[in-house]
Every structure is written in C-alpha cells, then in structure tokens.
C-alpha cells in the first residue's frame, strides 16, 4: 500500500524519494527488539513529563533513554546503538531544530502504528547510503527489520503512536490542537514481547 499524505511538503530528492507514505496493513505489532541494548541503558524516563523550561507545557508523548554515565555533551565515543523495535518502513527523516547531526526518524510498522525517535546523532551506514546527507526533510521509505541498527545516540527520545486509539479525559482538549498526534500516544512499554517488556 502507498498512502499519499498531501499535507506534507512536496519534496523529491536527488535519489527520487517519494513523499508518499509507504506502509501496509493496520493495527499494532509486537516489538521484539529494544530501542537500545538494555545493558547500555541506565535510565528510561517514561512519557508524561511536564517541563515548561524545556518547552513541554503539555505532558510529553515520548520517553527518554539515557546511557550509563550520561553527559550532556555529544561525544561520539559515548554514543550507544539505536535499533528498530520491529520491522517497518522509515518514512521520514528530519533535522531537529534544523541542527545538522540531530535527527528525527518516523518508522511505520503498519499504516496506523508507528514509532518516532528524536535526537539520533548518527544514522546507520545503510541508511546514509540510501539517503545521502540529511540537510532537510526526506521521505525515503526505507524497509527495516526488527533489531536493525538505525543509528547511534547519546540520549534519545522514543515514542509509540496508534492512530486507531484515541485518548480521552483531556480537561481542555483545545490545548492539543497544535499537537494533534498526542491524542494517539500509547504506552511505550505495552507492545514489547516478554521477557523484554518486564
């Protein structure tokens, strides 16, 4: 299936990337790989943080994975490997805040169920071979498998979305009009297979 999302900026890169979202099926999948090797992770902060200082004035839709002895400086010698939790298609790669070497990746596992990674500092050699340097949004439609290396990071954000799930109970739903994806945020731990989930 190819779903064309006309709300995105139309872009065709030098390698002929389509802006059409490539995916198949619907519903959720089971994650069989952690986003990072658990022995590399010291702390996982779950979703729901509110921190106006960092710009999160509504609860965060993403968790944070921190490596051992985390330092805020991006020292590549301290980066840890980042993996896809299940098979899917990388439909979008963009720069965070237009900063080179700071990437946001969207992986559709089905047409309605996807994961987003933010602050990946290095893309895998395979991805870079396909995309070339990332200096703007790209929509490469790269097939990845569960446990495949997608990049390396210092600390990174990880979130899970299900377009078929609609959160309820918002006191002021209008606060989310600028962040409409947040109403489809699901528990980032719920889809991992056991014993990985535990």
């Amino acid at each position: 299936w190819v779903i064309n999302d006309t709300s995105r900026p139309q872009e065709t890169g030098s390698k002929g990337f389509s802006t059409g979202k490539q995916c198949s099926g619907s519903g959720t999948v089971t994650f069989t790989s952690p986003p990072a090797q658990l022995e590399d992770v010291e702390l996982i902060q779950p979703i729901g943080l509110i921190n106006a200082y960092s710009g999160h004035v509504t609860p965060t839709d993403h968790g944070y994975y921190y490596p051992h002895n985390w330092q805020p400086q991006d020292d590549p010698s301290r980066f840890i490997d980042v993996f896809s939790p299940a098979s899917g298609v990388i439909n979008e790669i963009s720069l965070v805040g237009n900063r080179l070497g700071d990437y946001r990746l969207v992986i559709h596992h089905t047409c309605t169920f996807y994961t987003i990674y933010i602050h990946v500092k290095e893309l895998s050699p395979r991805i870079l071979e396909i995309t070339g340097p990332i200096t703007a949004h790209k929509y490469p439609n790269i097939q990845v498998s569960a446990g495949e290396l997608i990049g390396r990071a210092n600390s990174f954000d990880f979130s899970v979305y299900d377009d078929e799930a609609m959160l309820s109970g918002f006191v002021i739903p209008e606060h989310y009009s600028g962040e409409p994806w947040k109403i489809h945020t699901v528990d980032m731990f719920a889809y991992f297979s056991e014993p990985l989930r535990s």
Side-chain angles (χ1 to χ4, degrees), residues 17 57 73 118 126 139 150 170:
F17 300 134
V57 295
Q73 297 80 19
I118 304 175
R126 175 177 173 260
Y139 306 99
I150 59 173
F170 294 108

Side-chain angles (χ1 to χ4, degrees), residues 60 66 104 194:
T60 58
Y66 290 96
R104 176 183 181 270
E194 290 290 2

Side-chain angles (χ1 to χ4, degrees), residues 111-162:
C111 292
T112 59
F113 187 69
Y114 53 102
T115 51
I116 296 179
Y117 293 76
I118 304 175
H119 301 305
V120 174
K121 299 301 183 178
E122 297 175 355
L123 298 174
S124 74
R126 175 177 173 260
I127 291 172
L128 279 175
E129 184 179 340
I130 295 169
T131 65
I134 304 290
T135 57
H137 271 75
K138 288 193 177 183
Y139 306 99
N141 293 328
I142 301 171
Q143 295 277 344
V144 291
S145 57
E148 181 173 339
L149 178 72
I150 59 173
R152 303 185 77 237
N154 182 6
S155 62
F156 63 93
D157 303 354
F158 176 74
S159 51
V160 184
Y161 303 89
D162 180 357

Side-chain angles (χ1 to χ4, degrees), residues 14-75:
S14 60
K15 295 181 184 279
F17 300 134
S18 167
T19 57
K21 179 174 73 176
Q22 191 178 72
C23 58
S24 62
S26 62
T28 64
V29 302
T30 300
F31 297 154
T32 58
S33 173
Q37 292 296 335
L38 298 184
E39 59 267 21
D40 290 340
V41 176
E42 180 170 313
L43 172 67
I44 301 173
Q45 184 168 358
I47 63 177
L49 175 71
I50 296 177
N51 183 346
Y53 175 76
S54 66
H56 295 301
V57 295
T58 60
T60 58
D61 56 344
H62 52 272
Y64 301 86
Y65 278 68
Y66 290 96
H68 296 287
N69 302 313
W70 176 79
Q71 297 292 324
Q73 297 80 19
D74 287 330
D75 176 357

